[in-house]
């Protein structure tokens, strides 16, 4: 796992083989952040990374300058890896929480400027995530929600869809409040 830009740029974090996460590819992540760089003021952005996996998005957000990144991961091995990476990088802006993403969504009172979700592509309830985010009012006004998914999901008719991007087998649906 390589951090693409910002203060941790080019740092390589070795992901143990025992982790079952599917990290967002460097190519897809780099292209996504090229889009976001034009619309986001990183130093003013609070972020939420749901289904964090290896934490690659959390650390990319922190590296870009986000002052607060809440990283949600339910798997204990993945959560521990995120905590260890946070310590290695001294990334104090990252707050790793070990909990279920849906439980966090339904109970959080905090709002965010940017939310990223990379659930397992075969997650049965994946299609409900955008509506759940908006129903629970987790985004600040003009905030963005990015959902990574496979080609099997189509959000083109969602009222909050702002943009869709495809990079190989990785699809991003970007929603705006």
């Amino acid at each position: 796992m390589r951090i693409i830009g910002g203060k941790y740029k080019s740092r390589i974090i070795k992901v143990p083989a025992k982790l079952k996460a599917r990290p967002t590819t460097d190519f897809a992540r780099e292209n996504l952040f090229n889009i976001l760089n034009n619309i986001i003021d990183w130093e003013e952005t609070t972020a939420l990374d749901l289904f964090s996996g290896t934490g690659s998005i959390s650390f990319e957000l922190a590296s870009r300058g986000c002052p607060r990144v809440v990283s949600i991961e339910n798997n204990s091995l993945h959560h521990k890896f995120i905590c260890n990476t946070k310590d290695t990088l001294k990334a104090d802006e990252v707050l790793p929480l070990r909990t279920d993403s849906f439980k966090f969504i339904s109970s959080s009172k905090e709002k965010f400027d940017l939310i990223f979700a990379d659930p397992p592509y075969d997650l049965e309830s994946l299609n409900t995530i955008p509506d759940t985010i908006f129903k629970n009012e987790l985004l600040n006004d003009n905030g963005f929600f990015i959902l990574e998914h496979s080609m099997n999901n189509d959000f083109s008719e969602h009222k909050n869809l702002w943009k869709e991007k495809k990079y190989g087998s990785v699809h991003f649906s970007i929603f705006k409040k």
Side-chain angles (χ1 to χ4, degrees), residues 17-162:
K18 64 184 173 185
L19 294 188
K20 303 284 189 254
R22 172 200 32 79
T24 305
T25 65
D26 285 358
F27 176 75
R29 199 163 11 103
E30 183 169 10
N31 282 288
L32 175 65
F33 276 87
N34 285 339
I35 293 167
L36 296 177
N37 280 336
N38 294 313
I39 59 173
I40 298 211
D41 179 0
W42 296 113
E43 291 77 23
E44 302 294 322
T45 299
T46 57
L48 171 63
D49 181 12
L50 297 167
F51 308 93
S52 292
T54 62
S56 65
I57 295 294
S58 293
F59 296 113
E60 194 70 49
L61 290 166
S63 184
R64 303 289 173 133
C66 288
R68 179 170 169 78
V69 180
V70 178
S71 180
I72 306 299
E73 177 53 51
N74 197 32
N75 180 289
S76 61
L77 285 175
H78 295 198
H79 177 260
K80 184 177 180 182
F81 177 77
I82 293 168
C83 291
N84 290 340
T85 303
K86 173 190 171 169
D87 292 344
T88 298
L89 294 174
K90 296 179 178 52
D92 294 331
E93 55 277 290
V94 176
L95 175 63
L97 299 176
R98 183 171 174 245
T99 188
D100 176 80
S101 290
F102 288 104
K103 286 181 182 173
F104 181 85
I105 291 168
S106 67
S107 66
S108 178
K109 302 299 180 219
E110 186 173 0
K111 290 188 176 199
F112 301 89
D113 301 305
L114 177 67
I115 300 173
F116 182 88
D118 180 11
Y121 284 2
D122 62 353
L123 183 69
E124 197 170 295
S125 56
L126 189 145
N127 285 329
T128 68
I129 296 172
D131 287 335
T132 305
I133 294 290
F134 287 102
K135 182 181 128 219
N136 286 282
E137 299 182 4
L138 289 182
L139 279 174
N140 285 320
D141 289 343
N142 297 310
F144 289 93
F145 166 56
I146 302 161
L147 178 62
E148 181 176 334
H149 57 86
S150 74
M151 67 180 171
N152 298 326
N153 305 95
D154 180 14
F155 298 97
S156 60
E157 299 299 317
H158 195 281
K159 68 179 183 175
N160 295 98
L161 185 70
W162 179 70

